[in-house]
Amino acid sequence: MTGFKRTGLKGGYLRVLDEDEVEGIHNGALQVLSRTGIILHDDDALTLLKKAGCQVEREERQVRIPDQVVEDALAQAPAVVTLYNRYGKEAMSLGA
């Protein structure tokens, strides 16, 4: 394609993250969730997160999620999640 500058991965190859890179992203996400938090506009969700041990500022609708709450949720998540297409047929599985 003439005149088209490619901005994606050079050579079109996908490079999978190594364990240190994955851990760095995970730790960064934990830091953002616990220090900065998220803004949440659903009252029921605010109540649930408060009961789970999160710091909830209802007036600001801000939730800070401690590392342990995230780790507990991840421990309970399924190892494999199945995605379906718009017709309800299995499209792919994500996970181990």
Side-chain angles (χ1 to χ4, degrees):
M1 212 181 221
T2 306
F4 180 78
K5 184 176 179 183
R6 207 178 148 143
T7 59
L9 295 172
K10 292 183 179 174
Y13 295 103
L14 174 68
R15 185 179 71 81
V16 178
L17 301 174
D18 65 32
E19 287 297 320
D20 289 337
E21 292 169 320
V22 170
E23 187 174 338
I25 292 169
H26 177 74
N27 289 335
L30 290 175
Q31 182 176 337
V32 169
L33 291 170
S34 65
R35 292 184 186 174
T36 305
I38 60 172
I39 301 297
L40 192 58
H41 295 284
D42 185 285
D43 289 326
D44 292 336
L46 290 171
T47 300
L48 286 172
L49 288 167
K50 177 78 172 172
K51 287 180 183 176
C54 298
Q55 180 184 349
V56 175
E57 303 292 337
R58 284 202 175 265
E59 294 295 320
E60 294 83 17
R61 314 208 52 82
Q62 183 177 28
V63 181
R64 288 184 180 87
I65 307 172
D67 297 359
Q68 194 57 52
V69 172
V70 176
E71 297 294 351
D72 290 346
L74 289 174
Q76 294 177 37
V80 177
V81 176
T82 303
L83 302 181
Y84 295 84
N85 66 20
R86 69 175 99 183
Y87 306 110
K89 292 186 181 180
E90 188 174 318
M92 67 171 50
S93 295
L94 301 176

